[in-house]
């Protein structure tokens, strides 16, 4: 006799709720009953529009047709992020999703490039990365063998609706209603049910908190605790708005630093997403709004969306029979587009640790350890952008430059500065090339490089570097303009 299906109750819709519902319903099938409770009267943050490459894998795991998904979400392709004004006010560098050059198993390509500098080669590191060169030329194509590393720039509200349709097709039940109270089991302390306006009761076995910053279940009912990281990441406010497109969409997101934070620009097919992230200690809200509206391209389409946040992580993201997904589990500012990724990681991790019957304390502990490790590693990568800078032109940047950083980040910076080496730990999100691009972009020039590179003669090194540059140049030359490729591959569904 088969066991009764596990009743999974998801509190909140939006990107987090529907990503969870779609994945659980499709993966677990008849072993679960998925119910999602959301209220149209409650808005969502809805600014997670820039993503990173793991979302490509997530969609493939769910069997999603890429062209259909991109058309439905008005998506464009993303090859990386252009950083303006981070090292100095007039500096610029690009963090791409590609692989630069060709590594030896014992030494990354940056060591050969650094050795080349000593021997008189002066070509930029950027010239050896196909995705980076293509992005700056406004080009894109799927290369044979899935050789293009890319992500998406998408309308997160449309993505949620796309996943809603998919999840409901797979058996998810949506309930419209506002959560009035969370009912706890008097004996176990677990969540027993959600009580909605109108005396409706939604009982379940496993509850997912997708209520965003409110964290109604994980914090409001279960008091899981929160670790505040604003002493490392001082920005605590953002304003988002949408504008008309004024030209073909570029295949990258822009992150433009200002004297109290930074501004984003994300081109979609039908519009552009814009926002300003800032530290309220150094910039007032009205001044931030003026700065944003004076630095957008195209007519403004929406009223500004004002956000306040505390960067940090929930101490227990799985507590009792409740799992926090998305903003309820913590917040990493959107500098490296990790918000949707953290939703994805939590959902896939939950599926790997999905309970059979009662929740296992060992599963809970493992989930929490892995989630925290993910967030701490992302946190360190974000701090790097603020800490390693030559900017001293405002109190905000002086605070960032002078702050102490976590030992894990200090060790990584010191290792790269002295030796040019970067090591990934476990399943760390950002790879060696990401750290190299950002650290060198922020101004760190390694003092030494791996001695292995001395094996190559001048002619051999010249041949290696010139061949790699030519391969990149020739590949990019075959790519069409990004806007043309999108228009052919996945024109937006205007309905």
């Amino acid at each position: 006799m088969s066991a009764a299906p596990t009743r999974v109750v998801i509190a909140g819709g939006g990107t987090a709720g529907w990503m969870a519902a779609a994945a659980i319903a499709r993966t677990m099938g008849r072993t679960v009953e998925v119910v999602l409770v959301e209220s149209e009267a409650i808005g969502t943050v809805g600014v997670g529009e820039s993503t990173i490459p793991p979302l490509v894998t997530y969609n493939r795991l769910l069997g999603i047709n890429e062209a259909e998904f991109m058309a439905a979400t008005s998506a464009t392709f993303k090859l990386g992020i252009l950083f303006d004004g981070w090292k100095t006010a007039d500096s610029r560098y690009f963090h791409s999703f590609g692989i630069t050059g060709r590594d030896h198993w014992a030494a990354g390509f940056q060591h050969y490039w650094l050795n080349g500098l000593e021997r008189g080669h002066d070509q930029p590191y950027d010239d050896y990365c196909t995705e980076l060169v293509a992005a700056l030329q406004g080009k894109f194509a799927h290369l044979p063998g899935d050789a293009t590393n890319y992500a998406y720039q998408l309308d997160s509200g449309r993505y949620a609706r796309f996943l809603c349709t998919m999840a409901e097709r797979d058996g998810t039940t949506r309930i419209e209603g506002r959560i009035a109270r969370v009912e706890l089991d008097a004996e176990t302390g677990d969540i027993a049910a959600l009580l909605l306006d109108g005396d409706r009761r939604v009982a379940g076995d496993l509850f997912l908190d997708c209520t965003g910053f409110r964290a109604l279940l994980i914090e409001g009912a279960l008091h899981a605790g929160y670790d505040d990281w604003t002493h490392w990441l001082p920005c605590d406010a953002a304003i988002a708005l949408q504008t008309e497109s004024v030209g073909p969409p570029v295949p990258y997101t822009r992150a433009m630093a200002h004297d109290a934070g930074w501004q984003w620009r994300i081109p979609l097919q039908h519009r552009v997403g814009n926002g300003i992230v800032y530290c309220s200690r150094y910039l007032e809200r009205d001044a931030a709004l003026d700065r944003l509206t004076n630095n957008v391209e195209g007519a403004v389409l929406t009223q500004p969306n004002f956000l306040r946040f505390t960067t940090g992580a929930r101490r227990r993201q799985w507590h009792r029979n409740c799992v926090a997904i998305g903003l309820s589990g913590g917040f990493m500012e959107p500098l490296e587009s990790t918000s949707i990724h953290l939703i994805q990681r939590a959902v896939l991790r939950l599926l790997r640790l999905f309970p059979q019957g009662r929740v296992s304390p060992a599963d809970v502990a493992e989930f929490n350890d892995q989630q925290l490790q993910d967030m701490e590693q992302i946190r360190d990568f974000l701090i790097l952008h603020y800490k390693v800078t030559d900017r001293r032109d405002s109190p905000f940047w002086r605070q960032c430059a002078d702050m102490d950083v976590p030992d894990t980040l200090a060790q990584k910076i010191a290792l790269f500065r002295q030796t040019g080496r970067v090591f990934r730990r476990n399943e760390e999100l950002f790879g060696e090339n990401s750290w190299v691009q950002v650290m060198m972009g922020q101004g760190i020039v390694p003092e030494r490089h791996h001695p292995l590179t001395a094996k190559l003669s001048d002619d051999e090194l010249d041949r290696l570097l010139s061949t790699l540059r030519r391969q990149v140049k020739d590949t990019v030359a075959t790519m069409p303009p990004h806007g043309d490729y999108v228009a052919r591959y996945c024109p937006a569904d205007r309905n």
Side-chain angles (χ1 to χ4, degrees):
M1 182 176 178
S2 60
T6 300
R7 189 167 172 83
V8 180
V9 177
I10 302 174
T15 309
W18 288 112
M19 284 183 75
I24 294 171
R26 178 145 296 188
T27 303
M28 300 301 296
R30 285 179 287 182
T31 67
V32 296
E33 292 179 1
V34 181
V35 176
L36 186 144
V37 178
E38 66 176 345
S39 171
E40 292 181 355
I42 299 175
T44 59
V45 173
V47 296
E49 299 183 326
S50 189
T51 69
I52 55 178
L55 187 62
V56 177
T57 302
Y58 187 85
N59 284 351
R60 288 175 180 171
L61 288 175
L62 299 188
I64 292 173
N65 177 280
E66 182 178 73
E68 292 176 2
F69 143 76
M70 292 186 68
T73 61
S74 196
T76 57
F77 293 101
K78 177 185 174 185
L79 294 172
I81 305 172
L82 179 63
F83 286 91
D84 289 308
W86 289 82
K87 177 180 180 288
T88 61
D90 58 355
S91 65
R92 170 176 284 192
Y93 72 90
F94 199 93
H95 171 204
S96 79
F97 297 143
I99 302 300
T100 303
R102 187 169 67 238
D103 294 345
H104 185 277
W105 66 265
F109 174 74
Q110 70 270 18
H111 296 277
Y112 292 91
W113 180 79
L114 289 165
N115 184 261
L117 290 181
E118 292 182 354
R119 302 196 207 184
H121 294 269
D122 59 359
Q123 289 82 9
Y125 186 74
D126 295 356
D127 287 358
Y128 299 90
C129 178
T130 300
E131 287 83 353
L132 195 158
V133 174
L136 295 181
Q137 292 186 23
K139 294 186 170 187
F140 181 86
H142 289 93
L143 296 176
D146 288 334
T148 312
N149 296 291
Y150 64 89
Y152 310 108
Q153 298 166 141
L154 54 82
D155 184 314
S156 57
R158 293 187 180 188
Y159 186 41
R161 292 194 294 274
F162 178 86
L163 293 172
C164 171
T165 300
M166 173 180 160
E168 290 184 321
R169 231 176 11 237
D170 286 340
T172 297
T173 300
R174 178 189 179 276
I175 296 177
E176 167 67 27
R178 185 188 293 267
I179 299 169
R181 188 163 63 85
V182 179
E183 177 188 317
L184 300 183
D185 186 287
E187 293 184 5
T188 65
D190 289 351
I191 295 176
L194 305 182
L195 303 180
L196 311 185
D197 288 342
D199 297 326
R200 289 174 294 170
R201 183 176 184 272
V202 182
D205 304 308
L206 183 68
F207 291 81
L208 307 190
D209 188 339
C210 300
T211 63
F213 290 132
R214 294 172 297 150
L216 292 179
L217 280 61
I218 196 72
E219 192 61 45
L222 297 181
H223 313 296
Y226 194 82
D227 288 326
D228 184 338
W229 290 342
T230 52
H231 52 293
W232 289 314
L233 294 165
C235 290
D236 59 1
I239 308 171
L241 54 80
Q242 300 166 11
T243 59
E244 291 182 348
S245 300
V246 296
V250 294
Y252 56 85
T253 294
R254 288 186 67 184
M256 300 165 279
H258 58 78
D259 61 11
W262 61 282
Q263 179 182 337
W264 76 75
R265 187 175 295 159
I266 305 169
L268 280 61
Q269 292 187 51
H270 64 311
R271 62 167 174 80
V272 175
N274 304 271
I276 187 169
V277 178
Y278 62 98
C279 177
S280 61
R281 179 179 173 187
Y282 300 114
L283 188 64
E284 295 182 349
R285 192 180 88 158
D286 289 346
L289 179 60
D290 286 343
R291 184 170 298 182
L292 173 61
T293 55
N294 289 329
N295 191 34
V296 296
E297 299 173 342
V300 174
L301 299 173
T302 60
Q303 292 297 312
N305 183 11
F306 297 96
L307 306 169
R308 292 300 300 263
F309 54 83
T310 301
T311 300
R314 198 71 54 194
R315 288 177 190 150
R316 289 170 291 185
Q317 296 184 46
W318 187 343
H319 186 36
R320 299 189 179 277
N321 65 334
C322 177
V323 183
I325 306 289
L327 299 178
S328 61
F331 182 73
M332 299 288 102
E333 65 162 271
L335 182 58
E336 284 285 354
S337 312
T338 53
S339 294
I340 289 179
H341 173 74
L342 285 170
I343 296 170
Q344 168 188 331
R345 290 281 277 188
V347 171
L348 295 183
R349 184 164 287 134
L350 172 61
L351 284 167
R352 293 188 185 101
L353 297 170
F354 203 83
Q356 183 179 24
R358 293 186 61 82
V359 170
S360 162
D363 282 342
V364 172
E366 184 63 28
F367 182 94
N368 286 329
D369 285 348
Q370 291 188 26
Q371 286 293 109
L372 181 59
Q373 184 177 80
D374 276 354
M375 296 189 76
E376 288 178 338
Q377 290 170 342
I378 291 171
R379 175 203 68 192
D380 285 2
F381 194 59
L382 299 183
I383 296 170
L384 170 68
H385 298 67
Y386 290 102
K387 172 63 177 178
V388 180
T389 177
D390 293 337
R391 294 194 66 160
R392 302 293 187 276
D393 53 300
S394 69
F396 173 82
W397 286 107
R398 288 192 288 273
Q399 174 188 334
C400 291
D402 293 342
M403 68 180 170
D404 293 328
V405 299
D407 291 342
T408 46
L409 175 59
Q411 188 271 341
K412 215 153 198 166
I413 292 172
L415 180 67
F416 184 74
R417 191 186 302 277
Q418 294 171 25
T419 69
R421 296 186 175 101
V422 176
F423 291 102
R424 292 180 77 230
R425 289 179 169 80
N426 302 320
E427 296 182 5
E428 184 173 346
L429 171 60
F430 293 104
E432 179 176 5
N433 195 52
S434 290
W435 282 92
V436 171
Q437 288 179 113
V438 174
M439 285 199 279
M440 292 204 303
Q442 297 280 149
I444 300 178
V445 179
E447 298 166 4
R448 297 189 297 277
H449 50 77
H450 199 292
L452 174 69
T453 60
K455 285 180 60 178
L456 297 183
S457 67
D458 288 346
D459 286 344
E460 289 171 329
L461 182 60
D462 179 70
R463 188 160 53 251
L464 171 67
L465 296 178
S466 61
T467 298
L468 291 172
R469 284 198 314 277
R470 185 174 62 255
Q471 289 173 346
V472 168
K473 183 178 179 180
D474 291 348
T475 299
V476 174
T478 68
M479 294 180 170
H482 171 247
D484 293 350
Y485 191 88
V486 168
R488 290 196 303 272
Y489 181 71
C490 53
D493 180 356
R494 301 294 178 180
N495 295 321

